[in-house]
């Protein structure tokens, strides 16, 4: 139960970290730097273990495809750029919610250990900060709070369902999350720089 409480508090801590740093003129660019570093690390932590363990390059190709598809769509039509970024953000938050659901199931006292719990808490701080960074400037506080709330709700539901919610074979889920991760990388490093201009 302690791991669950910590996992629920962590995304909120990420939001508070964002607000605290963002409301200080000298640290506004630090928030952007944190996101530009945290997202690639999150993507790497989700994709690279599967590439190494399964000796398959497919998840890495899915990340590249996620970046490339949005890039091509924006090159075809600049009018689609805003919509493709919003779609990528929506898919990205949905992917994080799915991940939180599965993670909640893995937080059962019988299966969780200290290193796993610490890793979950640490990356969830980054998830909360990232969701707020992506949603609040474009869609406001309500949408951003809804995104973080969805993470918390999915975690609690996953924990309530237990390990039964964990899939036996989840290659399709891994590829979906890798593709979405790539699209989020595009949004953060392309449109995110415009949404968070501090000039």
């Amino acid at each position: 139960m302690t791991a669950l409480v910590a996992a629920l508090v962590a995304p909120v801590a990420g939001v508070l970290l964002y607000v605290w740093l963002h409301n200080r003129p000298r640290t506004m660019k630090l928030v952007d730097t944190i996101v530009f570093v945290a997202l690639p690390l999150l993507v790497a932590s989700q994709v690279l273990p599967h590439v190494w363990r399964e000796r398959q390059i497919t998840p890495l190709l899915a990340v590249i495809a996620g970046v490339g598809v949005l890039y091509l769509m924006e090159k075809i039509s600049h009018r689609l750029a805003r919509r493709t970024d919003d779609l990528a953000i929506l898919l990205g938050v949905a992917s994080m919610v799915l991940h939180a659901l599965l993670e909640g199931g893995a937080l059962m006292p019988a299966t969780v250990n200290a290193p796993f719990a610490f890793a979950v808490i640490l990356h969830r701080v980054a998830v909360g900060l990232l969701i707020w960074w992506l949603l609040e400037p474009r869609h406001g506080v309500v949408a951003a709070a809804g995104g973080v709330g969805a993470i918390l709700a999915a975690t609690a539901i996953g924990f309530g369902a237990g390990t039964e919610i964990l899939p036996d074979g989840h290659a399709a889920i891994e590829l979906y999350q890798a593709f979405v991760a790539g699209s989020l990388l595009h949004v953060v490093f392309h449109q995110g720089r415009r949404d968070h201009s501090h000039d």
Side-chain angles (χ1 to χ4, degrees):
M1 185 62 83
T2 303
L4 173 65
V5 172
L8 293 175
V9 170
V12 179
V15 173
L16 295 177
L17 178 64
Y18 172 92
V19 173
W20 182 69
L21 291 173
H22 198 264
N23 288 339
R24 285 162 172 72
R26 292 184 179 181
T27 60
M28 286 191 297
K29 290 185 178 180
L30 177 60
V31 176
D32 299 344
T33 302
I34 290 172
V35 172
F36 293 146
V37 172
L39 181 60
L41 288 177
L42 283 173
V43 172
S45 70
Q46 295 301 313
V47 174
L48 292 182
H50 303 300
V51 173
W52 177 260
R53 184 175 63 249
E54 299 168 13
R55 301 291 194 272
Q56 290 186 359
I57 199 172
T58 315
L60 198 55
L61 294 177
V63 172
I64 295 170
V67 175
V69 166
L70 287 191
Y71 178 79
L72 289 175
M73 289 177 69
E74 291 179 358
K75 285 297 181 184
I76 292 170
S77 173
H78 289 292
R79 288 179 294 182
L80 289 176
R82 175 86 182 189
R83 292 183 181 179
T84 55
D85 284 348
D86 284 339
L87 177 60
I89 291 171
L90 177 63
L91 291 175
V93 173
S95 179
M96 291 183 219
V97 169
L98 173 62
H99 186 76
L101 183 71
L102 299 176
E103 215 165 48
L107 286 172
M108 297 299 293
T111 59
V112 73
N113 55 53
F116 173 74
F118 178 76
V120 167
I121 293 164
L122 190 62
H123 96 263
R124 278 172 164 262
V125 172
V127 164
L129 190 150
L130 176 62
I131 289 176
W132 206 266
W133 189 90
L134 284 169
L135 288 176
E136 194 273 336
R138 306 188 146 220
H139 302 293
V141 171
V142 174
V148 174
I151 296 291
L152 304 183
T155 304
I157 292 170
F159 184 83
T163 54
E164 289 79 9
I165 202 170
L166 300 176
D168 293 328
H170 49 282
I173 293 175
E174 290 174 4
L175 289 178
Y176 164 72
Q177 291 186 320
F179 178 84
V180 171
S183 66
L184 277 180
L185 283 173
H186 173 83
V187 172
V188 166
F189 286 97
H190 172 61
Q191 188 62 36
R193 292 185 184 276
R194 299 179 190 176
D195 291 344
H196 294 269
S197 176
H198 302 304
D199 297 330

